[in-house]
Amino acid sequence: MDTEASDLQDKIHQQFDWHTCPWYPLEHSPKGDANALFIHNLVTPYYLRNQNVIDTTDKIILDVECDNGYTSLILAEANPGATIVGIDLSEASIQTARERLKYHQFKNVEFHVLSIYDVQTLGLTFDYINCDETLYLLPNLHQALQVLKSVLKPEGIIRGNLHSLYTEAHTFRAQKLFKLMGLMDSNPEETEIETALQTIQSLKDDVPLKASTWSSKFEGKGRYSAALASFLQQEDKGFTIPDLFAALRVADLEFISMVNWRLWEPLDLFQDPENLPLFWAMNLPDLPDELRLHVFELMCPVHRLLDFWCGHPNAAKSATPVQQWQMSEWQKAKVHLHPQLVTKSVWEDLVRSINDHSLFTISQHLSAPIMAPVTLNSFMATCLLPLWEGPQPIQALVSRWLTVQPLDPITLEPRIEVQAFEEIKSLLTYLETYLYVLLELPA
């Protein structure tokens, strides 16, 4: 890393040392945050890429710019048996991270005061690298990605994110204004923050800069942190989907998926996806990932982050999408429940739904991969109960369904196995779309 880049990085870390954000008390646990655990569980991106379910035991995870260790704690909770390695340039942050993981009794953890550019000195390679809220502050995106790639195992996965140029355009305008005012010549502290807040607040409500940036977060206890992150962030930059894919190509990394992939579907933006304008009906289904995602961000720039997973080229195992499986493949399938649903509270809610003959709203327990509530008929939901005991062959779920519902409710004729199989197949295909269930074929 050259001298200029090193100076910029020091400037950024001085800002975070002055006022770390966000802050969680040591005792705060992410155990109840199923969405955060779902995103940080290695099972999720590995399944999206390879369509198989990995065991997180003995995996090694790097948490880049781990700050006060809260994300490291989420990674530890989400990946039982994994080793967590956190790095950050702030000695104070690293000390807090150590205390946090010790408080929650995680032992397979280690933290180092270290720059992202010196990560090779650890002498480790990683199954997963979490680089959250960091890449957009670094002077050279593809260089940073190349550094991370150099310590990534052949089948490993990197999670990174960038600020969206389109969604955050108003924030970047504010930052340019405050640079012009000299508030960012050195690292902003109380005086500069108050000046920025007073400037925005004193504008008329219909002035575009205020209308697009001001919110209640700038009025409460955490307003300094919010102002730093929004208005006075040193070296903040915006990116587009083409910028992201260009950096991945230079770094020789392969795009896997957006982290919130279900929220990046252009079809969802049309009033009637079944009756598209001719141009889109002909072209949208076959668009490659980069163009498809770019179309979405141009039509609907709503995501603050371009949050993505990537890995080494050609690391994906060839797999036929579930929607294209033949009957012979379905008959061999093993069914897993996503680990973040294998909890006592979800199981109890399912049992309550069955006893009450009410709909089971599975999405209330895990909403990250959905756009609308996902509900199940209580009779069909009974077939999922064995999954809390462990993975099941699909035939076991079919047999259970035949026991629970032996008669066709319309004809009152005995339900035949072929019919039951189709009904279970339909249920699992629906749930696999959201990764509520994971369908795996034998190697």
Side-chain angles (χ1 to χ4, degrees):
M1 181 170 59
D2 59 34
T3 303
E4 181 181 2
S6 179
D7 290 344
L8 289 174
Q9 193 175 26
D10 287 343
K11 194 174 183 180
I12 293 167
H13 276 277
Q14 287 169 18
Q15 180 170 343
F16 279 102
D17 275 348
W18 185 83
H19 206 285
T20 301
C21 176
W23 174 257
Y24 293 94
L26 283 182
E27 64 272 15
H28 186 83
S29 172
K31 285 183 179 180
D33 190 346
N35 287 334
L37 296 170
F38 175 83
I39 289 170
H40 289 85
N41 191 316
L42 272 61
V43 168
T44 302
Y46 273 79
Y47 182 85
L48 283 170
R49 185 182 65 182
N50 297 333
Q51 207 171 304
N52 66 350
V53 181
I54 67 163
D55 183 354
T56 60
T57 304
D58 296 329
K59 295 293 185 285
I60 306 178
I61 299 171
L62 175 66
D63 191 14
V64 177
E65 302 298 326
C66 65
D67 196 54
N68 56 49
Y70 189 70
T71 301
S72 302
L73 178 60
I74 297 175
L75 288 163
E77 291 283 5
N79 299 283
T83 295
I84 312 299
V85 179
I87 63 169
D88 197 283
L89 280 181
S90 167
E91 177 67 59
S93 293
I94 287 295
Q95 183 57 38
T96 302
R98 289 178 178 139
E99 293 172 5
R100 185 183 304 279
L101 275 290
K102 181 178 180 181
Y103 179 90
H104 290 274
Q105 300 182 11
F106 284 100
K107 297 180 180 179
N108 292 338
V109 296
E110 56 183 80
F111 293 97
H112 304 270
V113 180
L114 196 68
S115 161
I116 182 177
Y117 297 102
D118 297 321
V119 69
Q120 291 172 326
T121 63
L122 292 172
L124 298 170
T125 55
F126 300 93
D127 298 282
Y128 189 78
I129 298 176
N130 184 68
C131 191
D132 189 18
E133 303 279 4
T134 298
L135 291 173
Y136 53 78
L137 299 175
L138 301 178
N140 188 308
L141 174 56
H142 74 256
Q143 182 184 28
L145 289 171
Q146 286 171 330
V147 170
L148 297 180
K149 179 188 173 187
S150 71
V151 292
L152 186 68
K153 290 184 179 180
E155 294 187 0
I157 290 177
I158 297 171
R159 185 262 181 116
N161 41 55
L162 305 167
H163 273 156
S164 165
L165 177 64
Y166 299 131
T167 308
E168 295 294 287
H170 51 276
T171 299
F172 300 130
R173 290 204 320 274
Q175 290 172 2
K176 286 184 178 181
L177 172 65
F178 296 131
K179 282 183 181 178
L180 186 66
M181 294 170 62
L183 300 185
M184 298 172 69
D185 290 347
S186 58
N187 272 315
E189 296 189 6
E190 286 97 336
T191 300
E192 291 81 5
I193 294 172
E194 282 293 352
T195 300
L197 289 170
Q198 290 170 13
T199 299
I200 300 292
Q201 191 171 23
S202 65
L203 295 173
K204 292 180 178 179
D205 290 345
D206 60 353
V207 172
L209 186 62
K210 183 176 183 180
S212 58
T213 63
W214 192 260
S215 73
S216 59
K217 67 182 179 181
F218 300 120
E219 299 171 354
K221 183 179 179 181
R223 61 198 182 101
Y224 276 15
S225 294
L228 276 173
S230 297
F231 300 142
L232 301 167
Q233 180 68 270
Q234 299 282 9
E235 301 306 315
D236 198 0
K237 296 178 288 297
F239 297 81
T240 65
I241 289 292
D243 294 332
L244 165 59
F245 276 77
L248 292 177
R249 283 190 287 270
V250 174
D252 194 26
L253 286 163
E254 186 171 84
F255 175 77
I256 296 172
S257 169
M258 301 305 279
V259 171
N260 53 344
W261 74 98
R262 289 285 304 164
L263 306 183
W264 280 86
E265 177 49 65
L267 274 174
D268 294 334
L269 304 179
F270 289 89
Q271 294 183 37
D272 184 1
E274 300 297 323
N275 188 27
L276 296 176
L278 181 60
F279 174 86
W280 294 106
M282 292 177 61
N283 291 283
L284 192 54
D286 298 320
L287 284 183
D289 286 337
E290 179 177 352
L291 285 179
R292 194 178 187 90
L293 295 170
H294 190 39
V295 163
F296 186 96
E297 72 172 350
L298 290 173
M299 287 182 170
C300 185
V302 294
H303 301 302
R304 180 181 71 88
L305 291 175
L306 310 181
D307 203 355
F308 63 94
W309 283 305
C310 65
H312 289 286
N314 305 313
K317 296 178 181 177
S318 179
T320 305
V322 168
Q323 294 77 6
Q324 299 174 20
W325 277 5
Q326 302 298 316
M327 183 56 71
S328 59
E329 292 168 304
W330 275 104
Q331 290 171 339
K332 295 183 291 185
K334 181 182 288 187
V335 185
H336 302 249
L337 199 64
H338 193 284
Q340 297 325 138
L341 289 173
V342 187
T343 67
K344 183 179 180 181
S345 63
V346 181
W347 185 84
E348 288 176 343
D349 189 36
L350 174 56
V351 170
R352 185 162 46 249
S353 169
I354 293 168
N355 287 332
D356 294 345
H357 303 290
S358 60
L359 289 176
F360 174 55
T361 306
I362 192 170
S363 55
Q364 73 178 3
H365 299 284
L366 180 58
S367 61
I370 62 125
M371 294 185 65
V374 176
T375 59
L376 302 178
N377 175 288
S378 61
F379 281 106
M380 288 296 289
T382 61
C383 301
L384 301 180
L385 282 171
L387 296 177
W388 270 262
E389 301 170 8
Q392 303 290 325
I394 189 171
Q395 192 58 51
L397 303 187
V398 173
S399 298
R400 183 180 181 87
W401 182 225
L402 284 169
T403 302
V404 171
Q405 194 82 329
L407 301 180
D408 185 296
I410 305 300
T411 66
L412 297 183
E413 295 292 327
R415 181 181 259 106
I416 60 175
E417 184 168 330
V418 172
Q419 179 186 358
F421 199 103
E422 285 298 320
E423 290 166 343
I424 293 297
K425 189 177 80 169
S426 177
L427 171 67
L428 296 178
T429 302
Y430 173 56
L431 295 178
E432 196 267 350
T433 303
Y434 310 103
L435 301 200
Y436 289 139
V437 299
L438 311 173
L439 305 177
E440 187 176 39
L441 293 174

